[in-house]
Amino acid sequence: MPIIRADSLVKEFRRPKRVPGRFGAVRTLLTRQYTVTRAVDGVGFDIDAGELVGYLGPNGAGKSTTIKMLTGILVPTSGAVEVSGVVPWRDRERNARHIGVVFGQRSGLWWDLPLIDSLHLAATLYDVRPADLRAHLARFTDLLGLDEFLTTPVRQLSLGQRMRGDLAAAMLHRPDVLYLDEPTIGLDVVARDRIRAFVADLNRAAGTTVVLTTHDLDDVEALCRRIILIDHGRVLYDGDVATLKARHAPHRELVVHLAEPGPVEIADAEPVAATDGRVTLRFDPARVSSADLIGRVLARHRVTDLSIVEPDLERVVAGIYADRTA
């Protein structure tokens, strides 16, 4: 049975229509006319326990709204949602004990307290036993490198340090599900790698189900085995990364560095670029294998180096959205 189930989720927001002119603000306040915006439009998916899923889409696609319905912050306009057998918005307290949430744009830590005090308060809120707290803190401190700023007030932490503290606080009660909304936004390489490693370890070692929304598709390729792609509140794709690439970017590129510059003409491969002895050939792996293509090139040309370039997820997703807006 899925640990997360969303069925035909819809969320609409109603806003009063603005009335122009003199006393417009007062008339707007009293108006019974509304503008309805549908942020999520029939989204449905099942997520099994232990999955690590990337939930992707452009700004305004409905990602954060969906996460807020899954966490119980928002009530759906229609449709159904269950997390660990709980309807989030009906039983928020029970749901909160099953989930951890990290929003990259806001912190759940106490601003004026040292990080260690914030973590102890979070543990108290979730009734974490002292022995479990000590064990979890020791493990998270090691994985996230918290020891150098545990006694620093949260307001003095860098963005990367605060995000690591938020992750530790979200996981102290060992929830079944972790929601990460833009957890690496604005972080440097070191902090981003720490967080990626921590999330991967949670999923692999503890079996934590993770739902990740992000604009950094390097996060998705590094962590996720499955992605759900949405736009204008609707699901466009639900499956693995390899299938998405095969469907929307079937070609690969072979980059050849020639010992002697010149043209390269090989059957089943199209030259797409040539500069200073470096030739790029585009090919379809469904028609010719990379090993066969490399063999043909080596049989006809003296080569100093070569490499296969796979399509990156960012270009694939950008192409899908560009096609939809064209």
Side-chain angles (χ1 to χ4, degrees):
M1 180 176 177
I3 194 169
I4 300 174
R5 170 163 286 170
D7 182 18
S8 304
L9 274 183
V10 172
K11 182 59 184 177
E12 295 178 342
F13 294 98
R14 297 174 63 199
R15 296 179 178 84
K17 282 190 176 181
R18 291 188 59 82
V19 179
R22 193 177 183 185
F23 305 115
V26 175
R27 294 166 65 192
T28 298
L29 186 64
L30 300 175
T31 185
R32 294 186 179 181
Q33 294 183 314
Y34 293 89
T35 299
V36 177
T37 302
R38 182 166 286 198
V40 174
D41 188 9
V43 163
F45 52 76
D46 290 345
I47 297 176
D48 292 330
E51 283 198 89
L52 204 168
V53 179
Y55 194 54
L56 311 180
N59 290 331
K63 304 186 301 298
S64 293
T65 302
T66 305
I67 296 298
K68 287 175 182 176
M69 287 190 283
L70 295 179
T71 58
I73 295 173
L74 292 177
V75 179
T77 303
S78 64
V81 58
E82 284 190 4
V83 179
S84 297
V86 177
V87 178
W89 57 271
R90 283 184 184 156
D91 195 344
R92 289 186 171 94
E93 183 175 343
R94 187 177 167 202
N95 179 63
R97 294 188 176 275
H98 289 285
I99 67 170
V101 186
V102 175
F103 290 105
Q105 303 288 359
R106 56 184 66 88
S107 177
L109 303 172
W110 282 263
W111 200 243
D112 293 314
L113 295 181
L115 175 59
I116 187 64
D117 290 350
S118 281
L119 296 177
H120 278 282
L121 278 171
T124 300
L125 287 174
Y126 287 100
D127 299 321
V128 179
R129 294 180 302 177
D132 291 336
L133 174 60
R134 287 192 296 271
H136 299 339
L137 273 179
R139 182 163 176 265
F140 296 163
T141 296
D142 179 55
L143 287 171
L144 290 168
L146 304 179
D147 51 341
E148 55 190 62
F149 52 87
L150 273 174
T151 58
T152 303
V154 170
R155 68 175 183 274
Q156 295 178 11
L157 299 180
S158 70
L159 178 60
Q161 291 170 336
R162 181 177 61 75
M163 285 302 306
R164 284 183 271 167
D166 273 314
L167 264 176
M171 291 304 301
L172 279 177
H173 60 296
R174 301 305 296 268
D176 302 320
V177 180
L178 175 63
Y179 300 108
L180 299 174
D181 190 10
E182 300 287 355
T184 60
I185 188 169
L187 300 190
D188 60 45
V189 174
V190 174
R192 189 167 62 239
D193 288 347
R194 281 266 196 186
I195 288 175
R196 285 178 185 169
F198 179 73
V199 172
D201 183 81
L202 282 177
N203 178 251
R204 180 180 61 255
T208 306
T209 304
V210 181
V211 179
L212 168 68
T213 75
T214 181
H215 284 99
D216 188 342
L217 296 185
D218 288 339
D219 287 346
V220 177
E221 294 211 81
L223 294 170
C224 301
R225 294 180 288 275
R226 172 186 171 193
I227 60 174
I228 299 173
L229 197 62
I230 72 166
D231 189 24
H232 292 94
R234 297 183 180 182
V235 174
L236 301 183
Y237 176 82
D238 183 351
D240 60 77
V241 176
T243 302
L244 181 69
K245 287 182 177 181
R247 183 181 301 174
H248 295 280
H251 294 93
R252 304 293 182 271
E253 292 181 348
L254 174 63
V255 180
V256 181
H257 296 260
L258 299 170
E260 299 173 358
V264 177
E265 295 182 1
I266 304 291
D268 300 318
E270 175 191 4
V272 292
T275 307
D276 299 328
R278 174 175 151 173
V279 178
T280 301
L281 303 171
R282 180 180 296 160
F283 67 99
D284 184 349
R287 296 181 57 189
V288 57
S289 70
S290 56
D292 186 21
L293 186 61
I294 290 171
R296 295 186 203 174
V297 172
L298 293 177
R300 299 185 183 184
H301 302 274
R302 287 201 306 125
V303 174
T304 60
D305 193 14
L306 50 80
S307 59
I308 299 289
V309 179
E310 296 283 336
D312 63 78
L313 183 59
E314 185 168 3
R315 281 195 298 170
V316 174
V317 172
I320 293 171
Y321 289 128
D323 290 343
R324 285 178 58 81
T325 56

